[in-house]
PDB file of all heavy atoms in Angstrom:
ATOM      1  N   GLY K   1      -3.681  12.067   0.415  1.00 84.00           N
ATOM      2  CA  GLY K   1      -2.249  12.332   0.572  1.00 84.00           C
ATOM      3  C   GLY K   1      -1.756  13.390  -0.405  1.00 84.00           C
ATOM      4  O   GLY K   1      -0.973  14.269  -0.051  1.00 84.00           O
ATOM      5  N   ILE K   2      -2.242  13.295  -1.660  1.00 87.00           N
ATOM      6  CA  ILE K   2      -1.886  14.296  -2.672  1.00 87.00           C
ATOM      7  C   ILE K   2      -2.413  15.656  -2.264  1.00 87.00           C
ATOM      8  O   ILE K   2      -1.733  16.684  -2.388  1.00 87.00           O
ATOM      9  CB  ILE K   2      -2.450  13.895  -4.047  1.00 87.00           C
ATOM     10  CG1 ILE K   2      -1.798  12.596  -4.533  1.00 87.00           C
ATOM     11  CG2 ILE K   2      -2.228  15.013  -5.074  1.00 87.00           C
ATOM     12  CD1 ILE K   2      -2.445  12.030  -5.780  1.00 87.00           C
ATOM     13  N   SER K   3      -3.657  15.686  -1.741  1.00 83.00           N
ATOM     14  CA  SER K   3      -4.286  16.945  -1.343  1.00 83.00           C
ATOM     15  C   SER K   3      -3.529  17.616  -0.201  1.00 83.00           C
ATOM     16  O   SER K   3      -3.333  18.839  -0.209  1.00 83.00           O
ATOM     17  CB  SER K   3      -5.738  16.674  -0.916  1.00 83.00           C
ATOM     18  OG  SER K   3      -6.364  17.852  -0.466  1.00 83.00           O
ATOM     19  N   SER K   4      -3.084  16.827   0.777  1.00 79.00           N
ATOM     20  CA  SER K   4      -2.394  17.411   1.925  1.00 79.00           C
ATOM     21  C   SER K   4      -0.953  17.796   1.601  1.00 79.00           C
ATOM     22  O   SER K   4      -0.427  18.787   2.115  1.00 79.00           O
ATOM     23  CB  SER K   4      -2.411  16.418   3.105  1.00 79.00           C
ATOM     24  OG  SER K   4      -1.771  15.208   2.742  1.00 79.00           O
ATOM     25  N   THR K   5      -0.302  17.002   0.725  1.00 78.00           N
ATOM     26  CA  THR K   5       1.093  17.268   0.369  1.00 78.00           C
ATOM     27  C   THR K   5       1.210  18.301  -0.746  1.00 78.00           C
ATOM     28  O   THR K   5       2.167  19.085  -0.781  1.00 78.00           O
ATOM     29  CB  THR K   5       1.804  15.961  -0.068  1.00 78.00           C
ATOM     30  OG1 THR K   5       1.640  14.989   0.959  1.00 78.00           O
ATOM     31  CG2 THR K   5       3.273  16.188  -0.325  1.00 78.00           C
ATOM     32  N   GLY K   6       0.219  18.293  -1.646  1.00 75.00           N
ATOM     33  CA  GLY K   6       0.289  19.165  -2.824  1.00 75.00           C
ATOM     34  C   GLY K   6       0.775  18.377  -4.016  1.00 75.00           C
ATOM     35  O   GLY K   6       1.801  17.692  -3.934  1.00 75.00           O
ATOM     36  N   LEU K   7       0.037  18.450  -5.117  1.00 67.00           N
ATOM     37  CA  LEU K   7       0.387  17.678  -6.306  1.00 67.00           C
ATOM     38  C   LEU K   7       1.775  18.023  -6.825  1.00 67.00           C
ATOM     39  O   LEU K   7       2.505  17.167  -7.333  1.00 67.00           O
ATOM     40  CB  LEU K   7      -0.662  17.921  -7.409  1.00 67.00           C
ATOM     41  CG  LEU K   7      -0.522  17.093  -8.689  1.00 67.00           C
ATOM     42  CD1 LEU K   7      -0.593  15.603  -8.365  1.00 67.00           C
ATOM     43  CD2 LEU K   7      -1.609  17.471  -9.694  1.00 67.00           C
ATOM     44  N   GLU K   8       2.149  19.301  -6.666  1.00 70.00           N
ATOM     45  CA  GLU K   8       3.454  19.742  -7.155  1.00 70.00           C
ATOM     46  C   GLU K   8       4.608  19.115  -6.375  1.00 70.00           C
ATOM     47  O   GLU K   8       5.744  19.075  -6.854  1.00 70.00           O
ATOM     48  CB  GLU K   8       3.548  21.276  -7.098  1.00 70.00           C
ATOM     49  CG  GLU K   8       3.552  21.889  -5.703  1.00 70.00           C
ATOM     50  CD  GLU K   8       2.163  22.015  -5.090  1.00 70.00           C
ATOM     51  OE1 GLU K   8       1.195  21.619  -5.774  1.00 70.00           O
ATOM     52  OE2 GLU K   8       2.051  22.501  -3.950  1.00 70.00           O
ATOM     53  N   ASN K   9       4.320  18.617  -5.161  1.00 71.00           N
ATOM     54  CA  ASN K   9       5.357  18.011  -4.332  1.00 71.00           C
ATOM     55  C   ASN K   9       5.415  16.487  -4.447  1.00 71.00           C
ATOM     56  O   ASN K   9       6.161  15.830  -3.722  1.00 71.00           O
ATOM     57  CB  ASN K   9       5.132  18.390  -2.866  1.00 71.00           C
ATOM     58  CG  ASN K   9       5.244  19.883  -2.632  1.00 71.00           C
ATOM     59  OD1 ASN K   9       6.099  20.537  -3.222  1.00 71.00           O
ATOM     60  ND2 ASN K   9       4.370  20.431  -1.804  1.00 71.00           N
ATOM     61  N   MET K  10       4.593  15.935  -5.347  1.00 70.00           N
ATOM     62  CA  MET K  10       4.554  14.492  -5.505  1.00 70.00           C
ATOM     63  C   MET K  10       4.777  14.113  -6.964  1.00 70.00           C
ATOM     64  O   MET K  10       4.242  14.751  -7.868  1.00 70.00           O
ATOM     65  CB  MET K  10       3.206  13.918  -5.035  1.00 70.00           C
ATOM     66  CG  MET K  10       2.931  14.115  -3.552  1.00 70.00           C
ATOM     67  SD  MET K  10       1.491  13.180  -2.975  1.00 70.00           S
ATOM     68  CE  MET K  10       2.132  11.507  -2.951  1.00 70.00           C
ATOM     69  N   SER K  11       5.567  13.091  -7.197  1.00 74.00           N
ATOM     70  CA  SER K  11       5.807  12.597  -8.542  1.00 74.00           C
ATOM     71  C   SER K  11       4.863  11.437  -8.845  1.00 74.00           C
ATOM     72  O   SER K  11       4.212  10.898  -7.956  1.00 74.00           O
ATOM     73  CB  SER K  11       7.261  12.111  -8.664  1.00 74.00           C
ATOM     74  OG  SER K  11       7.489  11.022  -7.788  1.00 74.00           O
ATOM     75  N   VAL K  12       4.797  11.058 -10.114  1.00 76.00           N
ATOM     76  CA  VAL K  12       3.954   9.931 -10.511  1.00 76.00           C
ATOM     77  C   VAL K  12       4.406   8.660  -9.801  1.00 76.00           C
ATOM     78  O   VAL K  12       3.589   7.851  -9.342  1.00 76.00           O
ATOM     79  CB  VAL K  12       4.011   9.735 -12.050  1.00 76.00           C
ATOM     80  CG1 VAL K  12       3.243   8.477 -12.455  1.00 76.00           C
ATOM     81  CG2 VAL K  12       3.447  10.957 -12.756  1.00 76.00           C
ATOM     82  N   SER K  13       5.725   8.491  -9.662  1.00 81.00           N
ATOM     83  CA  SER K  13       6.254   7.290  -9.004  1.00 81.00           C
ATOM     84  C   SER K  13       5.876   7.243  -7.526  1.00 81.00           C
ATOM     85  O   SER K  13       5.530   6.180  -6.997  1.00 81.00           O
ATOM     86  CB  SER K  13       7.772   7.227  -9.155  1.00 81.00           C
ATOM     87  OG  SER K  13       8.386   8.362  -8.560  1.00 81.00           O
ATOM     88  N   SER K  14       5.922   8.401  -6.852  1.00 80.00           N
ATOM     89  CA  SER K  14       5.577   8.422  -5.422  1.00 80.00           C
ATOM     90  C   SER K  14       4.096   8.125  -5.216  1.00 80.00           C
ATOM     91  O   SER K  14       3.720   7.466  -4.241  1.00 80.00           O
ATOM     92  CB  SER K  14       5.938   9.773  -4.801  1.00 80.00           C
ATOM     93  OG  SER K  14       5.199  10.828  -5.388  1.00 80.00           O
ATOM     94  N   ILE K  15       3.245   8.608  -6.142  1.00 77.00           N
ATOM     95  CA  ILE K  15       1.815   8.305  -6.070  1.00 77.00           C
ATOM     96  C   ILE K  15       1.588   6.812  -6.280  1.00 77.00           C
ATOM     97  O   ILE K  15       0.805   6.169  -5.568  1.00 77.00           O
ATOM     98  CB  ILE K  15       1.025   9.124  -7.120  1.00 77.00           C
ATOM     99  CG1 ILE K  15       1.102  10.625  -6.790  1.00 77.00           C
ATOM    100  CG2 ILE K  15      -0.434   8.667  -7.184  1.00 77.00           C
ATOM    101  CD1 ILE K  15       0.534  11.518  -7.865  1.00 77.00           C
ATOM    102  N   GLY K  16       2.305   6.249  -7.268  1.00 83.00           N
ATOM    103  CA  GLY K  16       2.199   4.820  -7.543  1.00 83.00           C
ATOM    104  C   GLY K  16       2.655   3.973  -6.371  1.00 83.00           C
ATOM    105  O   GLY K  16       2.042   2.953  -6.034  1.00 83.00           O
ATOM    106  N   ILE K  17       3.732   4.409  -5.728  1.00 85.00           N
ATOM    107  CA  ILE K  17       4.261   3.662  -4.568  1.00 85.00           C
ATOM    108  C   ILE K  17       3.262   3.703  -3.409  1.00 85.00           C
ATOM    109  O   ILE K  17       3.032   2.691  -2.730  1.00 85.00           O
ATOM    110  CB  ILE K  17       5.623   4.241  -4.133  1.00 85.00           C
ATOM    111  CG1 ILE K  17       6.687   3.921  -5.188  1.00 85.00           C
ATOM    112  CG2 ILE K  17       6.032   3.693  -2.770  1.00 85.00           C
ATOM    113  CD1 ILE K  17       8.004   4.632  -4.964  1.00 85.00           C
ATOM    114  N   LEU K  18       2.673   4.870  -3.183  1.00 80.00           N
ATOM    115  CA  LEU K  18       1.681   5.012  -2.111  1.00 80.00           C
ATOM    116  C   LEU K  18       0.494   4.093  -2.350  1.00 80.00           C
ATOM    117  O   LEU K  18       0.032   3.386  -1.443  1.00 80.00           O
ATOM    118  CB  LEU K  18       1.221   6.473  -2.008  1.00 80.00           C
ATOM    119  CG  LEU K  18       0.120   6.781  -0.977  1.00 80.00           C
ATOM    120  CD1 LEU K  18       0.601   6.434   0.428  1.00 80.00           C
ATOM    121  CD2 LEU K  18      -0.281   8.255  -1.060  1.00 80.00           C
ATOM    122  N   PHE K  19       0.010   4.068  -3.606  1.00 83.00           N
ATOM    123  CA  PHE K  19      -1.113   3.204  -3.973  1.00 83.00           C
ATOM    124  C   PHE K  19      -0.750   1.732  -3.801  1.00 83.00           C
ATOM    125  O   PHE K  19      -1.504   0.945  -3.224  1.00 83.00           O
ATOM    126  CB  PHE K  19      -1.549   3.493  -5.414  1.00 83.00           C
ATOM    127  CG  PHE K  19      -2.780   2.741  -5.850  1.00 83.00           C
ATOM    128  CD1 PHE K  19      -4.037   3.300  -5.661  1.00 83.00           C
ATOM    129  CD2 PHE K  19      -2.690   1.488  -6.441  1.00 83.00           C
ATOM    130  CE1 PHE K  19      -5.179   2.613  -6.053  1.00 83.00           C
ATOM    131  CE2 PHE K  19      -3.814   0.794  -6.835  1.00 83.00           C
ATOM    132  CZ  PHE K  19      -5.068   1.361  -6.646  1.00 83.00           C
ATOM    133  N   ALA K  20       0.428   1.358  -4.304  1.00 86.00           N
ATOM    134  CA  ALA K  20       0.862  -0.043  -4.235  1.00 86.00           C
ATOM    135  C   ALA K  20       1.081  -0.481  -2.797  1.00 86.00           C
ATOM    136  O   ALA K  20       0.760  -1.623  -2.421  1.00 86.00           O
ATOM    137  CB  ALA K  20       2.145  -0.223  -5.044  1.00 86.00           C
ATOM    138  N   GLN K  21       1.639   0.405  -1.978  1.00 87.00           N
ATOM    139  CA  GLN K  21       1.877   0.067  -0.570  1.00 87.00           C
ATOM    140  C   GLN K  21       0.570  -0.277   0.118  1.00 87.00           C
ATOM    141  O   GLN K  21       0.485  -1.273   0.857  1.00 87.00           O
ATOM    142  CB  GLN K  21       2.544   1.242   0.148  1.00 87.00           C
ATOM    143  CG  GLN K  21       2.730   1.014   1.657  1.00 87.00           C
ATOM    144  CD  GLN K  21       3.263   2.247   2.375  1.00 87.00           C
ATOM    145  OE1 GLN K  21       3.998   3.030   1.795  1.00 87.00           O
ATOM    146  NE2 GLN K  21       2.876   2.427   3.614  1.00 87.00           N
ATOM    147  N   GLU K  22      -0.454   0.529  -0.116  1.00 89.00           N
ATOM    148  CA  GLU K  22      -1.748   0.288   0.514  1.00 89.00           C
ATOM    149  C   GLU K  22      -2.401  -0.979  -0.034  1.00 89.00           C
ATOM    150  O   GLU K  22      -2.837  -1.850   0.725  1.00 89.00           O
ATOM    151  CB  GLU K  22      -2.670   1.496   0.284  1.00 89.00           C
ATOM    152  CG  GLU K  22      -2.320   2.729   1.084  1.00 89.00           C
ATOM    153  CD  GLU K  22      -2.806   2.640   2.522  1.00 89.00           C
ATOM    154  OE1 GLU K  22      -3.678   1.804   2.801  1.00 89.00           O
ATOM    155  OE2 GLU K  22      -2.308   3.401   3.366  1.00 89.00           O
ATOM    156  N   ALA K  23      -2.480  -1.096  -1.378  1.00 89.00           N
ATOM    157  CA  ALA K  23      -3.236  -2.187  -1.997  1.00 89.00           C
ATOM    158  C   ALA K  23      -2.506  -3.527  -1.915  1.00 89.00           C
ATOM    159  O   ALA K  23      -3.045  -4.504  -1.381  1.00 89.00           O
ATOM    160  CB  ALA K  23      -3.543  -1.832  -3.453  1.00 89.00           C
ATOM    161  N   ILE K  24      -1.284  -3.563  -2.444  1.00 92.00           N
ATOM    162  CA  ILE K  24      -0.538  -4.827  -2.457  1.00 92.00           C
ATOM    163  C   ILE K  24      -0.133  -5.217  -1.031  1.00 92.00           C
ATOM    164  O   ILE K  24      -0.241  -6.388  -0.642  1.00 92.00           O
ATOM    165  CB  ILE K  24       0.703  -4.714  -3.355  1.00 92.00           C
ATOM    166  CG1 ILE K  24       0.277  -4.406  -4.800  1.00 92.00           C
ATOM    167  CG2 ILE K  24       1.524  -5.995  -3.307  1.00 92.00           C
ATOM    168  CD1 ILE K  24       1.434  -4.139  -5.743  1.00 92.00           C
ATOM    169  N   GLY K  25       0.302  -4.224  -0.260  1.00 94.00           N
ATOM    170  CA  GLY K  25       0.679  -4.495   1.131  1.00 94.00           C
ATOM    171  C   GLY K  25      -0.480  -5.062   1.928  1.00 94.00           C
ATOM    172  O   GLY K  25      -0.325  -6.027   2.686  1.00 94.00           O
ATOM    173  N   GLY K  26      -1.665  -4.474   1.758  1.00 94.00           N
ATOM    174  CA  GLY K  26      -2.839  -4.959   2.477  1.00 94.00           C
ATOM    175  C   GLY K  26      -3.188  -6.390   2.101  1.00 94.00           C
ATOM    176  O   GLY K  26      -3.513  -7.213   2.969  1.00 94.00           O
ATOM    177  N   SER K  27      -3.118  -6.706   0.810  1.00 94.00           N
ATOM    178  CA  SER K  27      -3.426  -8.067   0.348  1.00 94.00           C
ATOM    179  C   SER K  27      -2.432  -9.082   0.919  1.00 94.00           C
ATOM    180  O   SER K  27      -2.821 -10.175   1.352  1.00 94.00           O
ATOM    181  CB  SER K  27      -3.405  -8.114  -1.185  1.00 94.00           C
ATOM    182  OG  SER K  27      -4.357  -7.224  -1.733  1.00 94.00           O
ATOM    183  N   LEU K  28      -1.140  -8.721   0.920  1.00 96.00           N
ATOM    184  CA  LEU K  28      -0.116  -9.640   1.443  1.00 96.00           C
ATOM    185  C   LEU K  28      -0.260  -9.849   2.950  1.00 96.00           C
ATOM    186  O   LEU K  28      -0.123 -10.969   3.444  1.00 96.00           O
ATOM    187  CB  LEU K  28       1.282  -9.107   1.112  1.00 96.00           C
ATOM    188  CG  LEU K  28       1.673  -9.122  -0.371  1.00 96.00           C
ATOM    189  CD1 LEU K  28       3.033  -8.462  -0.572  1.00 96.00           C
ATOM    190  CD2 LEU K  28       1.691 -10.552  -0.909  1.00 96.00           C
ATOM    191  N   VAL K  29      -0.552  -8.766   3.673  1.00 97.00           N
ATOM    192  CA  VAL K  29      -0.759  -8.893   5.124  1.00 97.00           C
ATOM    193  C   VAL K  29      -1.991  -9.752   5.404  1.00 97.00           C
ATOM    194  O   VAL K  29      -1.992 -10.594   6.312  1.00 97.00           O
ATOM    195  CB  VAL K  29      -0.902  -7.501   5.778  1.00 97.00           C
ATOM    196  CG1 VAL K  29      -1.353  -7.638   7.234  1.00 97.00           C
ATOM    197  CG2 VAL K  29       0.425  -6.747   5.721  1.00 97.00           C
ATOM    198  N   GLY K  30      -3.045  -9.558   4.605  1.00 97.00           N
ATOM    199  CA  GLY K  30      -4.254 -10.371   4.762  1.00 97.00           C
ATOM    200  C   GLY K  30      -3.972 -11.845   4.534  1.00 97.00           C
ATOM    201  O   GLY K  30      -4.487 -12.714   5.258  1.00 97.00           O
ATOM    202  N   LEU K  31      -3.138 -12.129   3.540  1.00 97.00           N
ATOM    203  CA  LEU K  31      -2.752 -13.523   3.260  1.00 97.00           C
ATOM    204  C   LEU K  31      -1.966 -14.114   4.437  1.00 97.00           C
ATOM    205  O   LEU K  31      -2.200 -15.262   4.843  1.00 97.00           O
ATOM    206  CB  LEU K  31      -1.911 -13.570   1.987  1.00 97.00           C
ATOM    207  CG  LEU K  31      -1.637 -14.950   1.371  1.00 97.00           C
ATOM    208  CD1 LEU K  31      -2.935 -15.626   0.972  1.00 97.00           C
ATOM    209  CD2 LEU K  31      -0.711 -14.819   0.170  1.00 97.00           C
ATOM    210  N   ALA K  32      -1.079 -13.313   4.994  1.00 97.00           N
ATOM    211  CA  ALA K  32      -0.286 -13.776   6.145  1.00 97.00           C
ATOM    212  C   ALA K  32      -1.176 -14.006   7.368  1.00 97.00           C
ATOM    213  O   ALA K  32      -1.018 -15.003   8.092  1.00 97.00           O
ATOM    214  CB  ALA K  32       0.799 -12.743   6.471  1.00 97.00           C
ATOM    215  N   ILE K  33      -2.128 -13.102   7.595  1.00 97.00           N
ATOM    216  CA  ILE K  33      -3.052 -13.256   8.726  1.00 97.00           C
ATOM    217  C   ILE K  33      -3.901 -14.514   8.549  1.00 97.00           C
ATOM    218  O   ILE K  33      -4.095 -15.300   9.481  1.00 97.00           O
ATOM    219  CB  ILE K  33      -3.966 -12.014   8.845  1.00 97.00           C
ATOM    220  CG1 ILE K  33      -3.142 -10.789   9.260  1.00 97.00           C
ATOM    221  CG2 ILE K  33      -5.098 -12.260   9.847  1.00 97.00           C
ATOM    222  CD1 ILE K  33      -3.900  -9.481   9.124  1.00 97.00           C
ATOM    223  N   GLY K  34      -4.410 -14.703   7.323  1.00 97.00           N
ATOM    224  CA  GLY K  34      -5.224 -15.878   7.045  1.00 97.00           C
ATOM    225  C   GLY K  34      -4.452 -17.169   7.243  1.00 97.00           C
ATOM    226  O   GLY K  34      -4.963 -18.133   7.823  1.00 97.00           O
ATOM    227  N   TYR K  35      -3.202 -17.190   6.784  1.00 97.00           N
ATOM    228  CA  TYR K  35      -2.380 -18.402   6.900  1.00 97.00           C
ATOM    229  C   TYR K  35      -2.043 -18.695   8.359  1.00 97.00           C
ATOM    230  O   TYR K  35      -2.106 -19.853   8.810  1.00 97.00           O
ATOM    231  CB  TYR K  35      -1.089 -18.244   6.093  1.00 97.00           C
ATOM    232  CG  TYR K  35      -0.200 -19.470   6.131  1.00 97.00           C
ATOM    233  CD1 TYR K  35      -0.508 -20.606   5.389  1.00 97.00           C
ATOM    234  CD2 TYR K  35       0.946 -19.489   6.925  1.00 97.00           C
ATOM    235  CE1 TYR K  35       0.294 -21.741   5.441  1.00 97.00           C
ATOM    236  CE2 TYR K  35       1.764 -20.613   6.979  1.00 97.00           C
ATOM    237  CZ  TYR K  35       1.430 -21.728   6.230  1.00 97.00           C
ATOM    238  OH  TYR K  35       2.223 -22.852   6.290  1.00 97.00           O
ATOM    239  N   LEU K  36      -1.700 -17.647   9.122  1.00 97.00           N
ATOM    240  CA  LEU K  36      -1.383 -17.833  10.540  1.00 97.00           C
ATOM    241  C   LEU K  36      -2.600 -18.356  11.295  1.00 97.00           C
ATOM    242  O   LEU K  36      -2.500 -19.288  12.107  1.00 97.00           O
ATOM    243  CB  LEU K  36      -0.906 -16.512  11.150  1.00 97.00           C
ATOM    244  CG  LEU K  36      -0.591 -16.524  12.650  1.00 97.00           C
ATOM    245  CD1 LEU K  36       0.512 -17.533  12.960  1.00 97.00           C
ATOM    246  CD2 LEU K  36      -0.211 -15.129  13.125  1.00 97.00           C
ATOM    247  N   GLY K  37      -3.762 -17.755  11.022  1.00 97.00           N
ATOM    248  CA  GLY K  37      -4.988 -18.221  11.664  1.00 97.00           C
ATOM    249  C   GLY K  37      -5.293 -19.665  11.304  1.00 97.00           C
ATOM    250  O   GLY K  37      -5.717 -20.463  12.148  1.00 97.00           O
ATOM    251  N   PHE K  38      -5.075 -20.006  10.030  1.00 97.00           N
ATOM    252  CA  PHE K  38      -5.291 -21.373   9.552  1.00 97.00           C
ATOM    253  C   PHE K  38      -4.409 -22.368  10.318  1.00 97.00           C
ATOM    254  O   PHE K  38      -4.882 -23.412  10.782  1.00 97.00           O
ATOM    255  CB  PHE K  38      -4.995 -21.425   8.046  1.00 97.00           C
ATOM    256  CG  PHE K  38      -4.783 -22.814   7.503  1.00 97.00           C
ATOM    257  CD1 PHE K  38      -5.856 -23.663   7.286  1.00 97.00           C
ATOM    258  CD2 PHE K  38      -3.506 -23.268   7.194  1.00 97.00           C
ATOM    259  CE1 PHE K  38      -5.657 -24.940   6.794  1.00 97.00           C
ATOM    260  CE2 PHE K  38      -3.295 -24.548   6.685  1.00 97.00           C
ATOM    261  CZ  PHE K  38      -4.384 -25.389   6.496  1.00 97.00           C
ATOM    262  N   LYS K  39      -3.125 -22.063  10.462  1.00 97.00           N
ATOM    263  CA  LYS K  39      -2.201 -22.964  11.158  1.00 97.00           C
ATOM    264  C   LYS K  39      -2.580 -23.117  12.628  1.00 97.00           C
ATOM    265  O   LYS K  39      -2.507 -24.229  13.194  1.00 97.00           O
ATOM    266  CB  LYS K  39      -0.764 -22.451  11.035  1.00 97.00           C
ATOM    267  CG  LYS K  39      -0.215 -22.423   9.613  1.00 97.00           C
ATOM    268  CD  LYS K  39      -0.105 -23.801   9.001  1.00 97.00           C
ATOM    269  CE  LYS K  39       1.031 -24.596   9.572  1.00 97.00           C
ATOM    270  NZ  LYS K  39       1.218 -25.907   8.886  1.00 97.00           N
TER     271      LYS K  39
END
């Protein structure tokens, strides 16, 4: 994402948000999928 957008067009916070969205979001969705399947 940084490579396609350009580092100069991205702030540290936007990079952090992108990382967190993928990592934390994926873990939470996985937890929801697991719980739904369990029920």
